Amino acid sequence: MEHPLNIYNTLTRKKEQFVPLHAPHVGMYVCGPTVYGDGHLGHARPAITFDILFRYLRHLGYKVRYVRNITDVGHLEHDADSGEDKIAKKARLEQLEPMEVVQYYLNRYHKAMDALNVLPPSIEPHASGHIIEQIELVRTILENGFAYESEGSVYFDVEKYNKKHHYGVLSGRNIEDMLNTTRELDGQDEKHNPIDFALWKKAQPEHIMRWPSPWGIGFPGWHCECTAMGKKYLGEHFDIHGGGMDLVFPHHECEIAQAVASQGDDMVHYWMHNNMITVNGQKMGKSLGNFITLDEFFTGNHKMLHQAYSPMTIRFFILQAHYRSTVDFSNEALQASDKGLSRLLDAYASLKKLTPSETTTVEINGIRSKCYDALNDDLNTPIVISHLFDAARAINTVKDGKGTINVADLKELQEVFDLFLFDLLGILPETSAGGNANEAFGKAMDLLLTIRQQAKQNKDWATSDKIRNELTEIGFEIKDTKDGAEWKLGK
């Protein structure tokens, strides 16, 4: 690569050149979903963000072990340390086994990720499947003097840890300020300080998900799972840990503290965080009544939606903003993304039908290099997309007979679209979204338009008009060009 990949490290708060600890191998850990409800647009953003990073690192020649965990225990209702386990609560209310709840929502999550063309991770470990590793982590932290047992639970001693290390290094928070502003919570008097967090929680008799431990029957604290599973699958030191910006504090801050307390230093070299998706400036969430599931986006079945939006429109919408900037949902923004994506896909379809000339008169110089530069600049996908729109304009100029392109440049444009739009940005071409059925459908439409073109050549205007009018009536857009006719599904 002519230019190195630079990524923004949340820990140092600056862009840094990416240098793997053990090249060509790269270890990447991303906090996956807490599977107790239907996935929404906010869940799609980290999945798509780190899918781009996964794709690009592999394209650069790295061998990536991508771990994306499933939180299926320890995520409590009120905060990280209090309330009922969210999955256990659903299981109790619906009279199901907790793992039935997990599997149901995990199946739906995987289906949505497949629709969004998010590649599966290398490993997808469940928190409930790594209780032994989490118990061992807690035991080590206790032995090192940074935790204490209280009434059958084990808590991390934040104040003691901060005397030797720095709690707040990732989020920039100050422990004295936290101690002064954190109110005492009901049922939390077993903690030395309200900012201490649970490593292991004693299970009450009604708690469904419970395991034996040296401290009694209980379950692991939410923060333990990623530290334990990251260490197991990627080692004590690995390259990238990512997730949504809402995980910076407390989750990832606690992960750093756990790692340092257990092994003496942080496990992670680069911390990366994507920003939030908002609705009218507010974070999308059930409590605010602005929660829209991915299935509802795909079907249009929600009062806030004016229409259904395809998975590729959702993916394109997310990639049109830099991953560290907020994205505000609106129907107008999604409709604009839908039209923009159609422009690129239409240009790509036209590209394959262009007749090359001896010379090139349209401006396409350096598009490949510019796209690489954008991705190397902290995965700047909106800039990549802007360069692809430049390429689309050049294609349409040639298509309209106002410019020419030679064979080499025609091949270069096709390779640029194939690489950046489809392989790296992960957009599915229209013919790929439905596999063989869509391909056959496209060929059938081309056959119909060929018959219509033959009818026009034979001056059989009745047949020509009948084909065009009936296709238009059932929702197709037919456009006559100097080279024949083009079609697409209407919006």
Side-chain angles (χ1 to χ4, degrees), residues 1 18 20 22-26 53-64 372 424:
M1 293 298 301
F18 177 70
H22 309 289
H25 298 276
V26 172
L53 181 59
F54 185 32
R55 289 169 181 268
Y56 193 49
L57 288 172
R58 295 203 308 181
H59 172 70
L60 295 178
Y62 295 115
K63 296 178 180 179
V64 185
Y372 271 125
L424 297 180

Side-chain angles (χ1 to χ4, degrees), residues 124-135:
E124 193 173 55
H126 290 228
S128 63
H130 295 77
I131 301 299
I132 293 172
E133 289 83 357
Q134 294 176 78
I135 288 174

Side-chain angles (χ1 to χ4, degrees), residues 112-382:
M113 293 303 104
D114 288 344
L116 292 166
N117 199 26
V118 170
L119 298 176
S122 314
I123 304 172
E124 193 173 55
H126 290 228
S128 63
H130 295 77
I131 301 299
I132 293 172
E133 289 83 357
Q134 294 176 78
I135 288 174
E136 188 56 36
L137 173 69
V138 177
R139 192 200 310 269
T140 303
I141 295 173
L142 267 170
E143 289 173 354
N144 290 346
F146 293 109
Y148 56 90
E149 187 178 353
S150 177
E151 300 181 23
S153 296
V154 180
Y155 291 97
F156 191 94
D157 194 327
V158 173
E159 192 169 22
K160 187 173 182 181
Y161 170 85
N162 191 65
K163 289 177 181 177
K164 188 172 181 180
H165 304 287
H166 179 195
Y167 184 79
V169 63
L170 185 67
S171 62
R173 299 195 182 201
N174 182 285
I175 187 173
E176 284 75 23
D177 293 339
M178 287 188 278
L179 285 169
N180 291 333
T181 57
T182 305
R183 62 182 178 86
E184 290 284 352
L185 298 172
D186 291 339
Q188 297 300 303
D189 12 319
E190 61 190 50
K191 294 182 181 183
H192 292 176
N193 279 302
I195 60 172
D196 294 346
F197 57 89
L199 299 173
W200 185 264
K201 285 286 289 182
K202 178 183 178 180
Q204 298 304 315
E206 66 276 7
H207 200 94
I208 303 175
M209 304 177 79
R210 50 205 286 133
W211 292 267
S213 80
W215 316 286
I217 302 296
F219 55 94
W222 171 38
H223 309 305
C224 283
E225 60 180 275
C226 295
T227 307
M229 292 190 290
K231 185 176 295 193
K232 174 167 183 170
Y233 294 111
L234 300 175
E236 290 191 347
H237 300 96
F238 59 88
D239 297 292
I240 297 168
H241 194 325
M245 197 168 286
D246 56 335
L247 296 178
V248 170
F249 188 88
H251 187 50
H252 288 166
E253 193 73 76
C254 293
E255 279 196 58
I256 291 177
Q258 289 169 162
V260 175
S262 63
Q263 65 184 42
D265 58 359
D266 190 14
M267 296 165 58
V268 181
H269 193 184
Y270 304 94
W271 287 89
M272 295 180 67
H273 295 89
N274 62 273
N275 216 320
M276 299 294 100
I277 291 181
T278 57
V279 179
N280 297 322
Q282 291 182 309
K283 180 183 172 182
M284 182 175 286
K286 283 185 177 179
S287 61
L288 298 172
N290 59 7
F291 182 92
I292 308 175
T293 70
L294 288 169
D295 277 348
E296 287 168 340
F297 274 105
F298 301 159
T299 62
N301 186 26
H302 191 281
K303 63 182 180 181
M304 291 176 63
L305 298 175
H306 296 168
Q307 64 183 70
Y309 298 99
S310 74
M312 287 303 99
T313 295
I314 297 295
R315 186 178 178 105
F316 192 68
F317 167 69
I318 289 172
L319 293 177
Q320 280 188 292
H322 191 273
Y323 77 90
R324 287 193 289 112
S325 65
T326 56
V327 177
D328 198 54
F329 157 80
S330 70
N331 281 280
E332 292 73 22
L334 277 170
Q335 287 163 359
S337 293
D338 193 39
K339 290 177 182 176
L341 179 56
S342 292
R343 280 177 56 204
L344 290 182
L345 293 176
D346 289 347
Y348 180 74
S350 299
L351 176 65
K352 295 190 284 186
K353 298 176 183 178
L354 295 181
T355 302
S357 301
E358 300 254 338
T359 60
T360 298
T361 60
V362 290
E363 181 57 49
I364 64 165
N365 290 335
I367 286 181
R368 181 191 295 260
S369 178
K370 291 174 184 176
C371 288
Y372 271 125
D373 287 346
L375 283 180
N376 286 329
D377 183 19
D378 196 27
L379 305 179
N380 203 329
T381 56

Side-chain angles (χ1 to χ4, degrees), residues 21 40 43 61 106 108 120 231 333 347 408 419 435 445 459:
L21 296 171
H40 57 82
H43 290 155
L106 187 56
R108 292 172 71 88
K231 185 176 295 193
L419 174 59
M445 281 296 300
K459 298 186 177 180

